[in-house]
Amino acid sequence: MSKHDGAGVSRRRFIQYTAVTGASAAVALNSPLGGAGTARAGAGAPSFAAFARPDAAVRPRFRWWWPDGLVDPAEIRREIDQIAAAGFGGAEIVAVHHSIRDKSVLDPEGHGWGTPAWNAGVEAALDQARRRGITVDLTIGPAWPAAVPTITPDSPAAVQELAHGSATVTGGQTYSGPVPEPVAAAEEDVHVRHLVAVHAARVDTANSTRIETGLARDSFTDLTATVRDGRIEWTAPGDGSWVLLSYWRRGSGQRPESGPHSAPDCAVVDHFSPAGTKAVIDFWESTLLTKRIRKLIRQAGGTLFEDSIELETQALNWTPDLPEEFARRRGYPLWPYLPVIVQCKERTLYSYEPEITRQARHDFWLTVSDLFNEHHFAALTEWAHSIGLQFRAQPYGLQTDAIETAAIIDVPEGESLGFKNLDDYRVLAGGRDMAGRKILSCEAGAYQGGAYNTTWDKLLRTMGGAYAAGLNQTVLHGFSYATAPGVAWPGFAGFTPYNGGIGYAESWGPRQPTWRHAPDIAAYLGRVHHVMQSGTNRIDIAVFRQKGYSKTGIGAGWFTGTGVPLGWTHQFISAATLELPSATVSGGRLAPKGPAYKAVFVEADRFSSGDRTIPVRSAEKLLRLTKAGLPIVFLGDWSAATVPGVPKAGENERLRAVLKELFAQPKVRVVAADTEVPGALAALGVEPDVKYAQSSTLLNGHRVAGDVDYYYLCNGKHAETVKPPVAAIDHQVTLTRADRRAVPFRLDPWTGEAERIAVYTEDGDKVTVRVALQPSETTVIALGRPGTGVPHATRTDAGEVRYDGGRLVVRSTEPGAYTTTLSTGRTVSTTVGELPAALTLTSWKLQVEDWRPGRTATETAVTRREVDLDGLKAWPDIPELADVSGVGRYRTTVQLDRKWSDGACAGAYLELGKVFDTSRVIVNGRVLPPVDLMNPVVDVGPHLRQGANTIEVEVATTLNNRLRVSDPDVYGKASRQAYGLIGPVRLVPYGEAPVR
């Protein structure tokens, strides 16, 4: 069905122009990107000027890939200018060159990371960013993980592993010889190792699993003291089989990705010890922080950034003080449980009884998490502040509490490539919001095999739902430095070629035809960020998670599967966040000055066989919180609940006693199944801030800033893998307002326009509007005080009702009589007279800028082509344009007779249909506001005139189709993309009549 078919109802944007549009009086706002934005808000109404012109601080950023220090400061300044001029807020400098096979051409000794050449580039970037009013982020080391060239893999500050050796000994037999060698060989540049312990345990097949050998826990024997000069002699008692285990501490030998980046090559630091963090800080203080750079950081520095925590080892992650720290923190020695904790190739090999095995592993990784957070994240955050930066990091990759880490660092970050669904963002958002921090960042758009074929459309469809889940900063992957030795057109790219083939997306920048429209994208994302950084995040439910892992895709039962499609919002909290100062209750809300959760939901440990576990301290805290008025819902049978780790004497009994008292509280419900959750919430008086009239793919995020409620709405999906694809939606949505006098405004993130909604109902603190969005389309509704007392409509059968100059008008694409009910109770009939027929625009002159390799790797030659089209089709279907990439400008002339300017006709919509990729519309020489990529329909009414009208559509593409033929060895396997304005393109008239 066409967007304008059916009962005269425009499907274009019910949330934007139809049952929820309008304004009482026009107040001009200058659009930052051409065309006039308007805020029809009325005197005294909320000001949305900051939304229309988002500040650089909230605009999207780039991951900026350098070939180490082989950069020209003058080119660095040019690239900062390019980023700033396109409307982006900054860049993150990182040494990345996965695309270069021969690393020697980069001269790591003279131009490596941390050399004077590197520092000169950083200084130029910071200085030019200062001049342009944007900021620069600095990565903690070259590529990832954190590493410095001042240590070797054998250094005490280097990343460590615990490798095990094993031998099988039959009962009654004697093992005599060298302590068993490690199963996993050391990396070639690791030369030092330390024998930590030697243990033995009897094999017990009753404890075996499909992949693990069972051991009898009561047979554990510590033989460490019997080792002499690296040899051991031991007779296995009784009969049966025994396993003799040795444990060797050594450097893992890990280097940062795609090195060498320096001479000597960097070694990854120990992330669990003060020594590793000190090595990082010492190198920065002695080598990277020149006097000039220190000053510039305070003027234009943003964050210190650490990428993925990918501490890769064939053995077990380790640190020298781990056994002592484990005993101090957990209250019992690690050694008897080490056999079931040790790993090889990322999997455990032995097991005791299932429950004790899970408990011991929990305690081990909890200890690692503690050390990680204290010695690495907290220490680096404090140091970053001392030099004028905040600390941003991706705090996941190991079995550590990412929720707690997100509460420690300034800016937690996720990633669109690695995150499996929106719950991975909600994990980090919970820690951020409980700690009272503002930003949740994302490494966005790293598509495998997406180099030079990724569209802005794809990126926005990927990211749309994540903003509803709490994301509010986007760091795009990425922007490449212009050149490097031996690269081919269109220049150096950090991740392509990748192993000889198409690499990761994307090298945005002037090398891309779509860069011409990048300011539209930057402004759109900036407005979304502005809204989602305004005030305070508000969330319905806090889901208690026993293990704060992220990047798992594991959700929250009923809330993820059923609650979200009904309007509910949730985040995850962990034991550590319940210890934060914000974990108080007021008015029945947890963290009332922050996310203001209405209830806590506690379910089984989804990472530990569904065990009903919770620390005693957390249970006691929940008891205090519910006594203060907090509703809590428990799922399942908790009568035999246990603590997550190995219990101390009487600890499980104490836990069950606390839970018994907790379950007796009036604000607590225990339900047996997911299906009982909504009933329990209703009985507790808990309802969501947003309610949908039907189950929906609509996603929402709620922020409260002063006396204004902001609702970000996206017709998206929980994960990229969800099938079938999201369809268009059209239904009622009920929103909660803090101020009962507040009225709804629609904020358009593409144009910056703000206009008061004309059709809605209200009931106490609820406002109900109609929402119609195409797949992945977004909008923002703000609830604020009105500027005037002009009545609104509560019901209409018209396509649109809106405010125009302080009066209500009906707008429709079909003539007829329409009935509108006003908030005064009066019902009014309005007639829209005869309209001219819609026009399908088929004849176009197409002028194309054909982008080709130039004389150098960074030079693009442009050949101009012209094609006359009697019907729109994709470029590959036009012989002259089959392998062309670039920018096309479609031009047509439309003759409009008096019917288009007289009588009922008040204007027209230009429907573009299918467009690949970005576009801009020009009518009679006037560049119109940006086109919504998800719903390319433009109101051209104010710009048309009687007689001849020139309509132009500028379309920009990727480089994919040209690279297929210009560099076939790398890109030849790519399929042609269907570029261009494909349509159908229609000019659809609309009429208007006042509601009297």
Side-chain angles (χ1 to χ4, degrees):
M1 176 182 285
S2 167
K3 295 171 188 170
H4 299 297
D5 288 341
V9 176
S10 166
R11 301 277 175 188
R12 176 178 176 243
R13 302 171 193 248
F14 256 102
I15 193 59
Q16 298 176 348
Y17 289 116
T18 60
V20 289
T21 57
S24 56
V27 178
L29 289 178
N30 293 324
S31 172
L33 297 169
T38 59
R40 301 181 181 90
S47 171
F48 300 116
F51 171 79
R53 299 180 65 89
D55 187 76
V58 301
R59 287 176 175 263
R61 313 176 67 77
F62 282 111
R63 188 152 290 183
W64 191 9
W65 299 313
W66 290 13
D68 296 333
L70 197 63
V71 295
D72 177 2
E75 174 60 26
I76 290 297
R77 291 180 183 274
R78 281 192 292 272
E79 293 182 11
I80 284 286
D81 285 344
Q82 291 162 358
I83 290 169
F88 292 85
E92 163 207 311
I93 300 173
V94 55
V96 164
H97 41 68
H98 288 63
S99 59
I100 297 178
R101 304 293 290 271
D102 181 4
K103 308 298 183 183
S104 65
V105 302
L106 295 174
D107 181 24
E109 183 172 1
H111 292 84
W113 180 78
T115 61
W118 172 268
N119 287 342
V122 171
E123 181 177 318
L126 286 164
D127 184 57
Q128 196 65 15
R130 173 185 62 84
R131 295 170 185 266
R132 296 304 302 262
I134 64 174
T135 57
V136 167
D137 299 338
L138 305 173
T139 50
I140 198 169
W144 63 91
V148 291
T150 48
I151 62 173
T152 71
D154 289 328
S155 299
V159 63
Q160 306 278 299
E161 66 183 10
L162 188 72
H164 84 285
S166 68
T168 300
V169 185
T170 302
Q173 293 187 348
T174 299
Y175 177 95
S176 180
V179 171
E181 286 292 308
V183 173
E187 293 295 320
E188 61 181 15
D189 47 1
V190 174
H191 308 291
V192 176
R193 65 181 187 177
H194 306 274
L195 182 65
V196 172
V198 178
H199 299 155
R202 179 172 49 82
V203 173
D204 184 349
T205 56
N207 293 330
S208 294
T209 69
R210 183 174 59 84
I211 60 174
E212 296 174 337
T213 300
L215 302 176
R217 179 161 55 105
D218 59 3
S219 71
F220 171 83
T221 305
D222 191 340
L223 302 174
T224 309
T226 67
V227 176
R228 297 289 183 272
D229 297 324
R231 298 177 63 85
I232 186 170
E233 183 171 312
W234 173 72
T235 301
D239 50 13
S241 294
W242 289 69
V243 176
L244 183 67
L245 294 168
S246 61
Y247 308 96
W248 303 85
R249 176 174 64 82
R250 66 194 185 197
S252 73
Q254 187 174 0
R255 306 284 189 178
E257 283 270 333
S258 191
H261 297 278
S262 60
D265 196 5
C266 292
V268 174
V269 302
D270 184 350
H271 284 53
F272 312 126
S273 74
T277 300
K278 185 176 186 298
V280 171
I281 294 173
D282 286 351
F283 184 76
W284 274 79
E285 292 283 359
S286 66
T287 306
L288 296 176
L289 295 176
T290 65
K291 183 177 180 180
R292 177 66 170 152
I293 288 177
R294 285 179 187 272
K295 181 178 180 180
L296 288 170
I297 282 175
R298 295 195 176 274
Q299 296 172 329
T303 66
L304 178 69
F305 174 66
E306 182 168 14
D307 209 323
S308 304
I309 311 301
E310 299 174 18
L311 300 179
E312 298 169 350
T313 170
Q314 294 295 308
L316 180 69
N317 296 108
W318 197 257
T319 191
D321 293 337
L322 209 160
E324 291 76 14
E325 290 288 352
F326 183 97
R328 182 173 70 84
R329 295 165 188 269
R330 307 283 83 89
Y332 66 93
L334 172 63
W335 304 117
Y337 301 93
L338 198 54
V340 301
I341 293 169
V342 71
Q343 292 184 352
C344 183
K345 296 181 180 179
E346 300 184 350
R347 68 179 184 89
T348 50
L349 305 174
Y350 304 100
S351 62
Y352 293 148
E353 304 94 314
E355 184 177 42
I356 196 67
T357 298
R358 292 195 298 270
Q359 291 170 338
R361 290 171 183 170
H362 172 276
D363 282 350
F364 174 81
W365 287 107
L366 180 60
T367 304
V368 171
S369 184
D370 289 345
L371 299 178
F372 202 9
N373 283 326
E374 292 174 22
H375 298 320
H376 189 77
F377 288 121
L380 284 174
T381 299
E382 182 179 2
W383 175 73
H385 294 173
S386 74
I387 62 173
L389 296 172
Q390 290 192 314
F391 188 46
R392 173 168 58 92
Q394 297 179 354
Y396 45 82
L398 298 175
Q399 298 177 58
T400 55
D401 189 349
I403 300 175
E404 180 181 10
T405 309
I408 293 172
I409 59 181
D410 298 299
V411 182
E413 181 168 285
E415 55 180 292
S416 65
L417 175 67
F419 276 20
K420 296 175 175 60
N421 55 41
L422 300 186
D423 278 322
D424 284 339
Y425 294 103
R426 294 182 181 114
V427 167
L428 300 182
R432 174 201 64 181
D433 288 345
M434 283 294 290
R437 306 196 184 281
K438 180 193 292 186
I439 307 299
L440 172 57
S441 185
C442 181
E443 174 190 353
Y447 304 105
Q448 185 175 5
Y452 297 118
N453 62 58
T454 295
T455 62
W456 287 109
D457 177 277
K458 179 176 181 177
L459 182 126
L460 296 183
R461 291 180 188 276
T462 299
M463 303 309 301
Y467 301 114
L471 175 66
N472 56 11
Q473 175 175 280
T474 307
V475 183
L476 296 168
H477 187 285
F479 187 108
S480 292
Y481 180 77
T483 191
V487 300
W489 183 79
F492 167 70
F495 286 96
T496 191
Y498 192 79
N499 293 329
I502 303 173
Y504 287 83
E506 180 64 85
S507 283
W508 303 109
R511 69 183 66 184
Q512 296 274 9
T514 55
W515 190 251
R516 187 166 301 184
H517 302 145
D520 298 355
I521 309 295
Y524 167 81
L525 290 173
R527 293 184 186 108
V528 171
H529 296 164
H530 169 79
V531 168
M532 298 310 292
Q533 291 181 28
S534 295
T536 306
N537 205 20
R538 290 299 166 89
I539 301 295
D540 297 324
I541 303 296
V543 178
F544 179 83
R545 180 149 278 179
Q546 293 85 347
K547 298 175 177 63
Y549 306 161
S550 189
K551 202 178 177 182
T552 67
I554 295 178
W558 183 86
F559 289 99
T560 295
T562 304
V564 169
L566 296 176
W568 288 90
T569 58
H570 66 276
Q571 288 179 344
F572 297 90
I573 61 173
S574 63
T577 50
L578 284 177
E579 302 297 323
L580 293 172
S582 65
T584 61
V585 173
S586 178
R589 301 291 189 96
L590 173 62
K593 295 182 180 180
Y597 304 118
K598 300 174 183 179
V600 170
F601 177 68
V602 186
E603 59 182 347
D605 187 345
R606 288 177 171 263
F607 300 98
S608 186
S609 298
D611 293 340
R612 309 292 174 185
T613 67
I614 188 170
V616 172
R617 189 178 179 91
S618 296
E620 292 171 337
K621 182 61 178 280
L622 289 177
L623 177 59
R624 294 194 296 273
L625 292 174
T626 195
K627 286 182 175 180
L630 177 66
I632 303 174
V633 176
F634 279 78
L635 173 64
D637 180 5
W638 289 78
S639 60
T642 62
V643 296
V646 175
K648 301 180 179 64
E651 194 172 18
N652 282 336
E653 291 73 18
R654 169 61 183 159
L655 172 64
R656 292 162 192 165
V658 173
L659 289 177
K660 182 177 180 181
E661 183 180 1
L662 180 63
F663 296 160
Q665 300 302 310
K667 289 286 187 178
V668 177
R669 297 290 186 275
V670 181
V671 298
D674 269 351
T675 53
E676 300 176 25
V677 171
L681 293 170
L684 292 167
V686 177
E687 60 180 21
D689 280 348
V690 181
K691 291 182 180 180
Y692 306 152
Q694 62 192 59
S695 183
S696 175
T697 51
L698 186 64
L699 301 164
N700 76 82
H702 181 197
R703 308 282 301 193
V704 177
D707 57 357
V708 178
D709 290 90
Y710 290 97
Y711 288 93
Y712 167 83
L713 302 174
C714 174
N715 181 20
K717 51 187 175 180
H718 185 58
E720 284 296 293
T721 55
V722 169
K723 299 189 183 326
V726 170
I729 61 168
D730 183 354
H731 58 75
Q732 298 289 329
V733 174
T734 299
L735 309 171
T736 303
R737 55 187 177 182
D739 184 342
R740 294 194 175 203
R741 290 169 291 181
V743 300
F745 296 80
R746 191 269 311 169
L747 311 185
D748 186 334
W750 281 101
T751 65
E753 294 176 341
E755 86 181 317
R756 185 176 162 191
I757 291 168
V759 183
Y760 61 94
T761 60
E762 53 188 342
D763 181 11
D765 64 348
K766 307 298 182 186
V767 173
T768 298
V769 297
R770 190 175 181 184
V771 175
L773 295 172
Q774 293 298 309
S776 297
E777 190 178 5
T778 65
T779 194
V780 175
I781 294 179
L783 302 177
R785 293 276 187 93
T788 70
V790 178
H792 65 274
T794 58
R795 182 180 302 173
T796 187
D797 59 4
E800 306 177 20
V801 175
R802 59 203 310 260
Y803 286 104
D804 184 10
R807 64 176 184 171
L808 286 173
V809 299
V810 163
R811 176 183 287 187
S812 177
T813 58
E814 296 289 341
Y818 300 100
T819 301
T820 301
T821 302
L822 302 179
S823 55
T824 60
R826 191 163 62 94
T827 298
V828 180
S829 180
T830 304
T831 299
V832 174
E834 183 180 356
L835 297 171
L839 300 176
T840 299
L841 310 183
T842 56
S843 297
W844 299 81
K845 288 187 177 294
L846 171 57
Q847 295 179 333
V848 173
E849 296 177 7
D850 178 358
W851 289 30
R852 297 167 171 264
R855 293 171 298 176
T856 68
T858 59
E859 181 181 341
T860 296
V862 177
T863 301
R864 302 190 183 278
R865 300 173 179 271
E866 292 191 7
V867 181
D868 289 333
L869 299 174
D870 291 328
L872 291 171
K873 59 184 72 175
W875 290 10
D877 296 329
I878 303 172
E880 305 96 306
L881 305 179
D883 294 312
V884 169
S885 295
V887 180
R889 198 172 182 107
Y890 295 78
R891 181 186 179 99
T892 191
T893 300
V894 182
Q895 292 288 337
L896 301 180
D897 58 25
R898 293 183 61 184
K899 291 181 180 179
W900 288 79
S901 58
D902 294 348
C905 187
Y909 298 121
L910 181 67
E911 298 179 349
L912 298 183
K914 186 176 180 181
V915 185
F916 190 114
D917 169 36
T918 59
S919 63
R920 258 304 180 84
V921 173
I922 305 97
V923 176
N924 293 324
R926 182 181 179 86
V927 179
L928 302 192
V931 177
D932 185 341
L933 267 65
M934 307 305 142
N935 189 11
V937 179
V938 181
D939 185 353
V940 296
H943 313 291
L944 298 176
R945 61 197 179 203
Q946 184 178 331
N949 290 263
T950 301
I951 296 177
E952 298 172 274
V953 182
E954 184 179 78
V955 178
T957 76
T958 68
L959 282 177
N960 174 77
N961 291 5
R962 174 54 63 194
L963 282 168
R964 288 179 66 256
V965 293
S966 68
D967 193 355
D969 289 344
V970 176
Y971 302 98
K973 292 183 179 179
S975 300
R976 284 192 179 110
Q977 292 179 309
Y979 292 163
L981 178 63
I982 301 169
V985 178
R986 300 174 70 224
L987 194 62
V988 181
Y990 57 76
E992 289 186 344
V995 178
R996 294 191 175 95

